[in-house]
Amino acid sequence: MNSLTSLYQRSLRNGVFFAVLSATGFSLKAVFVKLSYAAAPVDAVTVLAIRMGLALPLFLWLIWLSRSPQQPRLTLADGLRILLLGLFGYYLSSLFDFYGLQYISAGLERLILFTYPTLVLLLQMAVNRERPDSRTLVAMGLCYLGLGIALVHDIRVEGGDGQILLGALWVFASAVTYALYYMGTAAVVRRVGSMRLAGLAGGASSVMVLIHYAASGDVQQLATLPGAVWVHGSLMALISTVLPIYWMALAIQRMGATHAAAFGNLGPVLTVFASWALLGEAITVYQIAGLALVLFGVSRLSGAKAAPQPAPKQQAEDCKATG
């Protein structure tokens, strides 16, 4: 018992406990979305509106928590950049992701999203007019080979290849918009700070989602939704949106961004096992093989020449809600 207590206290001090909590929270997001879809005939925009509406006060809490006398006053240019980050990050990326989850499994969704570092690398090379080296090409090839194995398996087992491909394309669009968000943080995070930016961008996204829902959704439907949808939406807002950002910030304070970011590799693994335990999704040899290839490919990319700089990486890990 004393050894377990000592291990727990040590993990608190070195940040491991918070990094694992953060990865776990983010990995459960897709599971909560799938549970919401199963609880009632509800669409993606409604589920997203519930999530972001409930998360908005928590994003405001993050802004309050990150306040400091040394913070620079935001300029109009800062405000416009934050709005753009909110547009690409929690709004479009989340919306596309929720659309995709209507058609594909939570495990496959997480694998597709986890390829976003390859997209960041390609975008950076395009901007800098660089050619990928052999190591980068091999790492990317492994990522997409693993993704292809998992995708083909799901099509063969579940049938409905058109719907699964549609869902995969939606989630891939989510990964693209998140990669754009990831790159855009570099110009803002140095002035604003990672946790403050997470609160501001998340708050802006929440307002955008609520405006979208008010314009296109059935607001009266909210009063008739079963309690299970609200429970899952609340858990998504708290456990899979705002708290993981806070936990990751605590982990980064204790171990640094690079080591804390490494725990993000737990995400796809945790999602696969959580979807098996809570949703009854099968775990097969093909899925494990695809998962292993994607994880190995992403880990190989970490040493690539055009890897992201520390500041945007820290912000991306702080905000790795990815939808």
Side-chain angles (χ1 to χ4, degrees):
M1 187 68 178
N2 289 334
S3 61
L4 289 176
T5 303
S6 175
L7 179 63
Y8 170 71
Q9 292 175 342
R10 188 163 62 250
S11 68
L12 281 179
R13 288 194 300 270
N14 61 23
V16 170
F17 180 74
F18 295 113
V20 172
L21 273 182
S22 179
T24 303
F26 284 134
S27 69
L28 290 174
K29 183 261 301 177
V31 175
F32 289 135
V33 174
K34 299 291 281 188
L35 287 172
S36 297
Y37 289 155
V42 61
D43 62 14
V45 178
T46 301
V47 175
L48 182 58
I50 291 173
R51 176 208 187 184
M52 300 306 288
L54 294 173
L56 180 56
L58 301 175
F59 282 125
L60 297 177
W61 168 72
L62 274 186
I63 297 172
W64 178 84
L65 197 67
S66 63
R67 72 196 190 286
S68 169
Q70 288 77 36
Q71 285 179 340
R73 181 170 296 182
L74 295 179
T75 65
L76 178 60
D78 291 330
L80 291 175
R81 292 189 185 103
I82 289 170
L83 287 176
L84 280 175
L85 291 177
L87 176 67
F88 284 106
Y90 292 91
Y91 176 39
L92 288 180
S93 181
S94 296
L95 184 63
F96 297 158
D97 185 40
F98 280 40
Y99 280 147
L101 279 166
Q102 294 178 120
Y103 306 107
I104 64 175
S105 66
L108 180 59
E109 176 261 6
R110 182 54 50 178
L111 274 188
I112 297 172
L113 282 182
F114 201 66
T115 61
Y116 83 89
T118 67
L119 301 173
V120 172
L121 198 57
L122 289 173
L123 287 170
Q124 287 183 326
M125 287 181 171
V127 170
N128 297 327
R129 297 183 179 179
E130 296 179 358
R131 284 188 174 184
D133 56 24
S134 58
R135 175 178 178 172
T136 300
L137 290 174
V138 169
M140 288 184 177
L142 289 173
C143 285
Y144 288 100
L145 175 61
L147 184 58
I149 291 172
L151 181 60
V152 170
H153 169 267
D154 276 27
I155 290 174
R156 286 182 176 176
V157 171
E158 298 183 19
D161 55 330
Q163 286 197 335
I164 291 177
L165 286 175
L166 176 61
L169 287 173
W170 274 121
V171 177
F172 187 74
S174 173
V176 171
T177 52
Y178 185 71
L180 292 170
Y181 163 76
Y182 183 104
M183 291 185 64
T185 57
V188 186
V189 70
R190 294 184 182 90
R191 273 184 48 80
V192 178
S194 60
M195 191 179 293
R196 185 187 183 196
L197 180 56
L200 290 169
S205 298
S206 298
V207 173
M208 293 177 192
V209 169
L210 294 176
I211 292 174
H212 182 159
Y213 183 69
S216 64
D218 182 6
V219 179
Q220 295 180 343
Q221 179 194 18
L222 296 177
T224 63
L225 290 175
V229 175
W230 286 99
V231 170
H232 298 142
S234 300
L235 292 172
M236 200 187 322
L238 180 64
I239 297 176
S240 298
T241 306
V242 180
L243 279 182
I245 296 172
Y246 177 62
W247 288 329
M248 182 54 71
L250 293 178
I252 288 172
Q253 288 174 4
R254 287 161 174 78
M255 66 172 66
T258 301
H259 288 96
F263 285 87
N265 292 335
L266 291 173
V269 179
L270 293 170
T271 300
V272 166
F273 283 99
S275 59
W276 166 74
L278 300 175
L279 301 174
E281 293 182 1
I283 299 178
T284 67
V285 174
Y286 296 97
Q287 290 174 317
I288 293 174
L291 177 62
L293 286 171
V294 171
L295 289 175
F296 183 69
V298 170
S299 68
R300 293 283 294 174
L301 280 177
S302 63
K305 178 176 65 174
Q309 297 300 313
K313 183 175 179 105
Q314 174 174 337
Q315 172 59 15
E317 294 304 329
D318 285 357
C319 308
K320 209 168 184 180
T322 315

